[in-house]
Structures are given as C-alpha cells and as structure tokens.
Amino acid sequence: MTQIGPVKTTDKLLRGLAEANPDTAARILEGVDAREAARALDRLDVGGAAAVLTRMTAELAVAVLGETKAERRIALLGHTAPQVSVRLLRLLEPEQRDLWLAPLPAELAAPLRSLVAYPADTAGGMMDPNVTTLPVDINVGEAVATLRRAARATIVYLYVVDRDRRLVGLVGIRDLLLAAPKDPIAPLVNRDVASIPAELDRDLLAEAMQRRKLLALPVVDAQGRLLGVVRHDQVIRAVQAEAFEDMLRIVGAGSDERALSPVSVVVKRRLPWLYVNLLTAFIAAAVVGLFENVIAELTALAVLLPIVAGQAGNSGAQTLAVVIRGLALKEISAENLWRLMGKEVAGGLINGLCIAAVTAAAVFVWDGRWGLSLVIGLSMVANMVAAGLAGAVIPIVLAKVGRDPAQSSSIFLTTVTDVVGFASFLGLALLLAPLIG
C-alpha cells in the first residue's frame, strides 16, 4: 500500500506532461530503453500514448510497439495517422510487418497495406488515404449532410467522384451553400482539376505543388480512381527530410541516423565510410611520400601543404553543394552538362588566380623567396580548377551509375583535392627547386 500514492502521482504527472507537451514527453522517453518507454506509455490513455509515440524517432517508436501487447499495439496504430504508421511499418521486415497488420481491422489494415506497397519517396507513399469525397450523382442537400458527418481532418478540397471512385472534379463550398438543397451537384463540379499519379517522384511532386500553389493534390491510380491526397505540409516535411538526409550522406553518416540513435546504428552507418576515408588518406600520404627528399630539403613545403589542399577543398565543396542541388531540382541535363563543366572550370580558374595572388604575396612576406611564392601560387590555381571540376563530376557520375549523388561525395572530393594539391605543389617544387634556392 505504501507505493500506491507515489505510483498514482507519477502516472498523473506523466499524463499531464503528455497532454500539455507530447513533444517533451517523447524527448524524455527517448532517453530510456524501449521496454521502459513502453511501460510508461501503457499508463497513458490510447490517445495520449499515440500522440507521444508519433513524436518519437521512428526507430524507437517501432521498438516500443514491439514491447507492447498486440491489443495495445492495434489500438495505438488505430489512433495514429496512416502516414506515421506506414513510416514505422517500413522499418520492419516483411514477415514481422504482416504479423503486425494481420490482427488489425480490415478498414485499418487495407489502407496501410496499400501505402506500404508504394515507395516512401512517391506520391502514393506520402498520401493520406483518409479523404472525404462526394458522389457526382447526389444533390446539394445530400452533399452538405455528407460533409457534416465527415471528420474535419478528412476534408481538404471537396473532391467529387463517380460510383467507381474515379475522380470527376471538385466543387466549391460557396457553390454548395448558394445552391438549393434539391439541386444536383453535377452542374456545380469544376472538372478541370489537377491530379497526380501515385508513382510520381517526391521531387516532381514538390515541383508540381509549388507550381500550382495548392494546399493539396489528389492522387490517382492508372484508371483515374482517387486514392488519397498529398498535403502541402507533408511535401514540405518530406523535402526537408531529404535535405537533411543528403547532408548526412555527404559526410558519410547514415541518412536514417538520429541524434539519439543507438551506438550500434552509429557504428554500422559511419564505420564503412570511415574506412573509405582512411584508404583515401593513405593514397594522399603515398603521394607526399614520393616527394620525401624534396620536403627534407625544403621544410617550408610541409608548412604550406595544408593551405593548398584546404583552400581547394572548400572551393570544391561549394561546387558540390550547387551541383547536388541542381541534380535534385532537375536543372542539370545532358544538353547543359558541358556548359556546367566549363562554368566550374572557369570559376575555379578565376577564383584560383585571385586566391593565389594573395597567398603568394603572404608567403613572400613570410619566407622572402619569390620562387616558393610562385610554386604555391601555381599549385593553388591548378588545385582549385581541379576542385571545381571534381565537385561537378563526382555527383553526376554517382547519379549516372545509379547511386545517390550525395552519398559521401565529400570523401571522394577530398581525395581529389589532397592528391592533386600535394602532387602539384610538391611536383612544382621539385621542378623549380633552383628558383627556390
């Protein structure tokens, strides 16, 4: 009996936090293991637990659902938006996914199975299947009655369909309110309505949404049947998520890694690319080793090596970011590929000359040998041109071979700038050694 009071107080505090700020509750539960988080959510009502669950990282949410009883999991999935449930189901193996879906009511399981069948980065994978529609052969009074019975969240635009659920058009709420209850809605329907196929890629979907300035777009299948809608805010979140994933891929981290992901995820996602980076570092070191005698005679070269490689690396990273964005927005094609290359080479040359002039002057002030200033100036121009060209070529080549153009492009770029920078700087130092003195 002595524990009843504290337990009830804890439950009350947890319920209050979940109701007032489910985001904070989710962040707190992300700091504990899945079993303890599941026990905490079991103390909440289904609605409160679902609100907290949807704000957790997808990996933890799946782990928590795996620790809950089947009846509770069914209830939680029933209170979760289909798009959120599908995001969690995609993390499961097909066999486990079927085990989770099998006990669900048919009206809940069917749309989830349909959504899971589409890739996550398509309109079908992002759509909300819960949308209120109006049959084209009803009157105004029946249409208004249908809208009054519908859940508010399922009403976006007033889409009109035929008896086979093929999209006919949409009707304005103002037109319905001004018409007589006995009037048919068919004459009020605007049949010039934009729709998108379920297989449409996320990037093209974002472009279509931006071009049409709509809050939502209807998703249809090959027969024109209405499957659901993709909302503007969903597209924005998807594009933002893709941008963050690209940022993680560029540096060799896993796109699905989060700040509180387990250590096993950190190691699994990062270690392979760290090995790649280690290999490229050895390649750069081998280039330096070829000029060991030159460095031994002119120790100032060792001091200046990081400047040549580092400046070109920054320049190449700028090109890399612009080209990856251009690929994502479909701005780069076979027709303008050579123009892109020429622009980056010209930009690297001009920027290289400007930076080389300042660097050469600074080295002359520091060292006093004009030969050394000439060597670092020429090598910096060469390396910045190479960096601009590599920053453009690397993501395009990755895209051509079917790989994500953002996938660790920076690692390959660093290899190019290090190898070209070291080889050009030390090679010129060897050729122009008499001028350095």
Side-chain angles (χ1 to χ4, degrees), residues 353-377:
L353 289 171
C354 295
I355 295 296
V358 175
T359 306
V363 168
F364 184 77
V365 171
W366 169 67
D367 184 77
R369 288 178 286 185
W370 69 269
L372 184 60
S373 299
L374 178 63
V375 167
I376 195 171

Side-chain angles (χ1 to χ4, degrees), residues 128-368:
D128 183 356
N130 297 325
V131 54
T132 296
T133 59
L134 301 173
V136 70
D137 55 359
I138 63 175
N139 60 36
V140 170
E142 292 170 325
V144 172
T146 299
L147 295 177
R148 285 174 176 167
R149 292 192 302 268
R152 181 176 298 181
T154 66
I155 300 175
V156 191
Y157 293 106
L158 305 184
Y159 295 111
V160 180
V161 297
D162 63 16
R163 290 300 175 179
D164 293 324
R165 202 172 169 77
R166 285 191 292 264
L167 181 64
V168 175
L170 57 82
V171 63
I173 186 68
R174 182 173 179 270
D175 294 332
L176 282 181
L177 295 176
L178 294 177
K182 297 295 184 181
D183 289 346
I185 69 168
L188 306 177
V189 176
N190 175 13
R191 297 172 187 267
D192 183 21
V193 58
S195 62
I196 53 175
E199 297 79 13
L200 189 68
D201 180 78
R202 175 171 53 190
D203 294 332
L204 296 177
L205 171 59
E207 182 182 338
M209 189 76 77
Q210 183 180 21
R211 184 175 65 253
R212 297 183 182 277
K213 308 296 183 184
L214 296 174
L215 296 177
L217 280 172
V219 182
V220 298
D221 62 12
Q223 287 73 43
R225 289 189 293 261
L226 182 64
L227 301 175
V229 296
V230 176
R231 303 170 192 267
H232 185 267
D233 57 341
Q234 291 171 319
V235 176
I236 291 176
R237 286 196 296 270
V239 171
Q240 288 175 336
E242 184 179 22
F244 285 123
E245 290 173 5
D246 286 346
M247 180 182 68
L248 291 171
R249 290 191 185 101
I250 286 174
V251 296
S255 60
D256 56 348
E257 185 182 334
R258 299 295 181 266
L260 297 176
S261 293
V263 174
S264 58
V265 174
V266 174
V267 175
K268 182 179 179 181
R269 296 293 184 268
R270 300 185 192 179
L271 188 58
W273 290 106
L274 289 174
Y275 278 130
V276 173
N277 197 25
L278 180 63
L279 174 62
T280 60
F282 274 117
I283 294 173
V287 173
V288 175
L290 296 175
F291 300 93
E292 185 177 356
N293 293 334
V294 179
I295 296 175
E297 294 178 6
L298 300 170
T299 55
L301 298 177
V303 178
L304 299 175
L305 271 176
I307 298 177
V308 178
Q311 195 66 36
N314 292 334
S315 177
Q318 293 171 341
T319 302
L320 200 66
V322 172
V323 172
I324 289 176
R325 180 180 182 274
L327 289 171
L329 297 178
K330 305 296 188 292
E331 296 174 346
I332 300 173
S333 62
E335 289 74 21
N336 59 26
L337 192 58
W338 289 109
R339 178 184 168 193
L340 170 68
M341 302 293 183
K343 183 206 77 171
E344 292 302 333
V345 169
L349 177 61
I350 295 172
N351 287 336
L353 289 171
C354 295
I355 295 296
V358 175
T359 306
V363 168
F364 184 77
V365 171
W366 169 67
D367 184 77

Side-chain angles (χ1 to χ4, degrees), residues 398-415:
L398 289 175
K400 288 291 184 183
V401 298
R403 306 293 297 180
D404 189 330
Q407 185 68 60
S408 296
S409 294
S410 65
I411 293 178
F412 298 118
L413 175 65
T414 301
T415 303

